[in-house]
Amino acid sequence: MFPKEITKTLKLFGYFNPHEVSEAVLLLAQLGDKARVLAGGTDLIHTMRLRQITPEYLINIKDIVNLNYLKENAGLEMGALTRISTIKESEIIKQKYISIYEATEWFGSPQVRNMATVGGNICRSSPSSDLIPPLMTLGAVLKLVGPRGERKVLLEDFLLRAGKTLLDQEILTSIFVPPMGKNSGTAFKKLIRSSQDLAKVSCAVNISVEGGRCRDIIIALGAVADKVFRAKKAENILRNEEITDEKIKDVAQRASQEAQPITDVRSTATYRSHVIKVLVERLVRLSIERAEGKCG
Ligand SMILES: Cc1cc2nc3c(=O)[nH]c(=O)nc-3n(C[C@H](O)[C@H](O)[C@H](O)COP(=O)(O)OP(=O)(O)OC[C@H]3O[C@@H](n4cnc5c(N)ncnc54)[C@H](O)[C@@H]3O)c2cc1C
């Protein structure tokens, strides 16, 4: 049985179906806060059913041409409407951006993955969004288009807090991931209560190594603060340093200190604090092995 609130029917709303980004942007500018962008709808419709939001208008962007693609273009470029299932099945992603692939492996059900878009996953700014940690560690850049033109922002700067981003009557149109550096390795993992659940803790790592030293490292943590964030103090322990067992343990310990987990329906703050340490240590080791070509 679903809780009573979830079975509520949707409140009536006006519906627009633009075919061009410019048309959608114009609608957003005219309707302001009364309107919401609809992509896959896997999150938006659910929150509307729960009456957490009750927009007067929906602007369905799914029929906009040229926002649904995944290609290599001196890096990786994805249209905002690219489905999670497309990312999961992409050979480019599997071969070259393994942490992004790992984020799709346990993402919802096939039905959810066929509807949900990468843009929706980012714009929702959930601390437990699966694609944000790997994309953040890879230095993803977002293209936003609005009434004042277009701008590019780092994913890391885009997220303000849970459910809140830099979007200002704008549409996210594409995501660019710079090419992976030489001798780089990445990894992502989330811990879940059961399949198809949101993460109770997640982590992504991107490291580049050379002759036993760490040239650079980026660590992103999910579901342990009010947004996905970089554990920068932990990164600083290893950046430009010789890689030792002790330093990896210090990195994990410091990352856990940077987290600000809460207790909720998925886990307790105590468990999250403990397990983030374990996860960071394992993923740093796995990323190093991948960077050194010791495993796939
Ligand atoms: C059963 C179930 C399981 C799920 N499992 C997972 C999971 O394992 N991992 C996970 O991360 N998430 C999960 N989710 C959450 C959700 O499916 C994803 O976050 C999904 O990627 C959202 O994308 P969407 O296209 O459906 O977004 P929508 O629901 O259409 O939109 C989400 C938000 O983003 C805004 N938005 C969407 N696209 C744009 C754009 N291009 N420009 C500007 N604003 C935009 C919308 O206005 C809305 O506020 C699950 C949801 C369900 C119902």
Side-chain angles (χ1 to χ4, degrees):
M1 273 291 277
F2 285 115
K4 203 169 151 207
E5 315 84 70
I6 298 183
T7 61
K8 273 182 185 165
T9 52
L10 295 171
K11 275 196 166 176
L12 279 182
F13 55 83
Y15 179 79
F16 294 94
N17 197 33
H19 286 70
E20 302 282 344
V21 173
S22 56
E23 214 184 317
V25 166
L26 198 64
L27 284 165
L28 269 178
Q30 285 166 352
L31 303 171
D33 289 345
K34 293 181 191 159
R36 280 297 182 118
V37 168
L38 172 73
T42 57
D43 178 62
L44 186 65
I45 300 298
H46 182 66
T47 50
M48 285 170 67
R49 281 230 169 87
L50 291 172
R51 299 282 196 273
Q52 285 171 356
I53 54 166
T54 49
E56 288 178 38
Y57 302 98
L58 289 189
I59 303 171
N60 175 19
I61 60 168
K62 265 207 159 157
D63 288 332
I64 295 182
V65 283
N66 299 334
L67 290 189
N68 183 3
Y69 63 89
L70 186 160
K71 63 180 181 193
E72 275 191 300
N73 183 14
L76 171 73
E77 199 181 315
M78 289 184 282
L81 292 180
T82 307
R83 312 297 199 276
I84 308 302
S85 51
T86 307
I87 300 172
K88 187 170 188 281
E89 282 150 26
S90 158
E91 279 306 312
I92 300 173
I93 300 276
K94 230 182 253 181
Q95 301 299 329
K96 299 191 179 170
Y97 302 93
I98 182 84
S99 57
I100 301 181
Y101 170 73
E102 287 171 333
T104 63
E105 262 189 306
W106 293 95
F107 193 115
S109 60
Q111 292 89 336
V112 170
R113 292 196 293 270
N114 283 335
M115 295 289 290
T117 65
V118 58
N121 197 246
I122 293 171
C123 292
R124 158 175 192 261
S125 185
S126 164
S128 55
S129 285
D130 284 344
L131 283 166
I132 294 178
L135 288 171
M136 188 181 283
T137 61
L138 291 165
V141 176
L142 313 181
K143 185 158 133 189
L144 312 180
V145 181
R148 289 168 297 281
E150 76 173 51
R151 58 177 173 150
K152 291 188 177 158
V153 288
L154 261 182
L155 170 58
E156 195 185 322
D157 300 330
F158 177 73
L159 310 169
L160 300 181
R161 58 173 190 275
K164 185 81 188 138
T165 66
L166 281 183
L167 282 174
D168 180 14
Q169 295 178 352
E170 291 164 304
I171 290 179
L172 166 64
T173 56
S174 65
I175 299 106
F176 174 73
V177 179
M180 291 272 296
K182 230 177 119 196
N183 303 329
S184 294
T186 66
F188 167 85
K189 189 164 179 60
K190 71 169 170 179
L191 299 182
I192 43 180
R193 294 175 303 176
S194 57
S195 67
Q196 297 186 37
D197 196 13
L198 296 176
K200 52 184 174 186
V201 169
S202 67
C203 174
V205 174
N206 179 10
I207 193 166
S208 60
V209 298
E210 202 180 315
R213 289 181 84 82
C214 164
R215 285 289 160 229
D216 199 8
I217 178 166
I218 301 180
I219 301 170
L221 305 181
V224 287
D226 67 350
K227 62 175 183 175
V228 177
F229 71 100
R230 270 178 67 182
K232 292 189 178 176
K233 289 182 183 148
E235 294 170 3
N236 286 339
I237 294 175
L238 211 51
R239 186 172 292 117
N240 287 320
E241 295 287 334
E242 196 185 331
I243 298 168
T244 63
D245 243 27
E246 201 187 352
K247 286 214 182 81
I248 293 175
K249 285 188 192 305
D250 284 351
V251 167
Q253 177 70 34
R254 181 54 72 94
S256 151
Q257 287 163 357
E258 286 184 73
Q260 294 176 316
I262 56 164
T263 295
D264 65 9
V265 63
R266 290 197 179 80
S267 193
T268 63
T270 314
Y271 176 79
R272 283 178 159 126
S273 279
H274 169 71
V275 84
I276 199 71
K277 224 174 357 193
V278 179
L279 205 55
V280 170
E281 181 174 339
R282 284 187 190 164
L283 290 185
V284 170
R285 290 187 194 283
L286 178 58
S287 304
I288 292 169
E289 282 180 18
R290 285 178 172 168
E292 291 173 339
K294 290 185 188 151
C295 67

